[in-house]
Amino acid sequence: MAFEITETFVRFVGTSPVIQALVGGVIIALMNLFGASLVLVWRNPSERALNGMLGFAAGVMLAAAFTSLIIPGIEEYSGGNPLPTLVGVGIGALFLDRADALVPHAHYLLTGSSRADASRPSETLPVTEEKLAGVILFILAITLHNMPEGLAVGVAFGAAGRDPAQLGSALSLMLAIGLQNIPEGLAVSVAAINAGLNRRLYAAIAGIRAGAVEIPLAVVGAVAVATIEPLLPYAMGFAAGAMLFVISDEIIPETHRSGHERVATLGLMVGVIVMLYLDISLAG
């Protein structure tokens, strides 16, 4: 089964890791757009449902960070030496931490509530009014948190370009990130609408924004690791560290904010299981 899927992908896309990463970036961006567009038909999803779905997204990212990035980075591309990959993890987390110090936390722009360690461009930012500055900051904050996903897909396909046996793992990561983009896109669209943005307008903006960051970063990741081989374990660690930072700093706290912690936790467990299944079945 795994062989058939990888063969079909190669037949339609080819063997170039850059082209494969481009296609992968397009796929995950389209799944983000699909999730964001669900607000057009599922107009009022409950907070409980959204928390469960975001928990699922966190579980997928959590498992993917280890199975598709950290472990292969150490075992396959560092000869068992954990240092390069772990240095990348640290740099990725530090990058997101410093970026969050400059760009407002996403939930601040969505809810109007602030955290002591969050950037606050204006204490009186009106999240319920459609003002250009608020919209730009909102899109920027959400875009920041999509960057690791596009980079991770590109790095995975770049690694597969050096070792074709890793293509199944790259495909599983692409599918997993695409799946978690669906509830993430829906949740962000719902929050944006609650903040006063137009339903149809933001659904379109979400798709453009996701594609604008995930597709080029996927290509950049593939080109970087395809041309500079020693960079590969660092890049895999960087993508994993950035993803882990987003999970712990944004997604999990947001799902535990409104009293639906159990549903979010169960969603996370389902996400971990789905990612592990995809990784084993496609890499086998």
Side-chain angles (χ1 to χ4, degrees):
M1 180 64 178
F3 179 76
E4 294 175 359
I5 293 174
T6 54
E7 282 294 301
T8 301
F9 183 80
V10 170
R11 186 180 307 119
F12 283 99
V13 177
T15 58
S16 168
V18 175
I19 300 300
Q20 290 176 348
L22 174 64
V23 172
V26 170
I27 289 173
I28 63 174
L30 287 175
M31 294 178 85
N32 190 295
L33 173 59
F34 173 72
S37 300
L38 286 178
V39 292
L40 300 177
V41 292
W42 190 8
R43 302 187 71 84
N44 294 298
S46 68
E47 197 164 29
R48 179 184 177 90
L50 289 174
N51 286 343
M53 294 171 72
L54 281 176
F56 172 84
V60 168
M61 292 174 70
L62 180 64
F66 288 94
T67 62
S68 297
L69 295 169
I70 294 176
I71 294 175
I74 294 172
E75 294 183 349
E76 302 292 334
Y77 304 107
S78 296
N81 177 15
L83 190 59
T85 304
L86 296 183
V87 167
V89 170
I91 295 174
L94 182 62
F95 174 81
L96 262 291
D97 175 67
R98 291 300 84 205
D100 257 343
L102 300 174
V103 178
H105 284 261
H107 69 256
Y108 172 64
L109 295 168
L110 296 174
T111 68
S113 62
S114 61
R115 275 173 24 184
D117 63 342
S119 171
R120 288 166 294 211
S122 170
E123 294 291 346
T124 59
L125 180 65
V127 296
T128 58
E129 296 180 17
E130 292 186 41
K131 290 194 173 182
L132 182 59
V135 173
I136 291 174
L137 287 171
F138 174 81
I139 295 173
L140 185 59
I142 300 302
T143 297
L144 177 67
H145 293 189
N146 282 114
M147 290 172 60
E149 299 164 8
L151 181 62
V153 169
V155 168
F157 280 112
R162 294 195 170 277
D163 181 8
Q166 298 299 316
L167 180 58
S169 180
L171 288 173
S172 69
L173 180 64
M174 178 196 74
L175 291 175
I177 287 180
L179 284 175
Q180 68 90 28
N181 266 353
I182 295 174
E184 188 178 81
L186 172 62
V188 171
S189 283
V190 169
I193 291 164
N194 291 340
L197 299 180
N198 178 271
R199 186 179 299 270
R200 292 181 180 176
L201 173 63
Y202 186 74
I205 289 175
I208 296 171
R209 181 260 311 157
V213 65
E214 289 178 337
I215 295 173
L217 274 177
V219 174
V220 167
V223 170
V225 300
T227 56
I228 310 174
E229 184 173 4
L231 184 65
L232 183 52
Y234 294 97
M236 297 182 86
F238 181 93
M243 288 170 64
L244 292 173
F245 185 93
V246 170
I247 294 166
S248 178
D249 192 62
E250 289 291 342
I251 299 180
I252 291 179
E254 185 64 24
T255 60
H256 285 59
R257 184 175 57 85
S258 56
H260 302 299
E261 296 91 342
R262 183 61 56 85
V263 172
T265 299
L266 292 175
L268 184 145
M269 297 305 299
V270 172
V272 169
I273 291 169
V274 168
M275 179 58 210
L276 291 175
Y277 176 80
L278 286 173
D279 185 73
I280 294 172
S281 61
L282 289 179

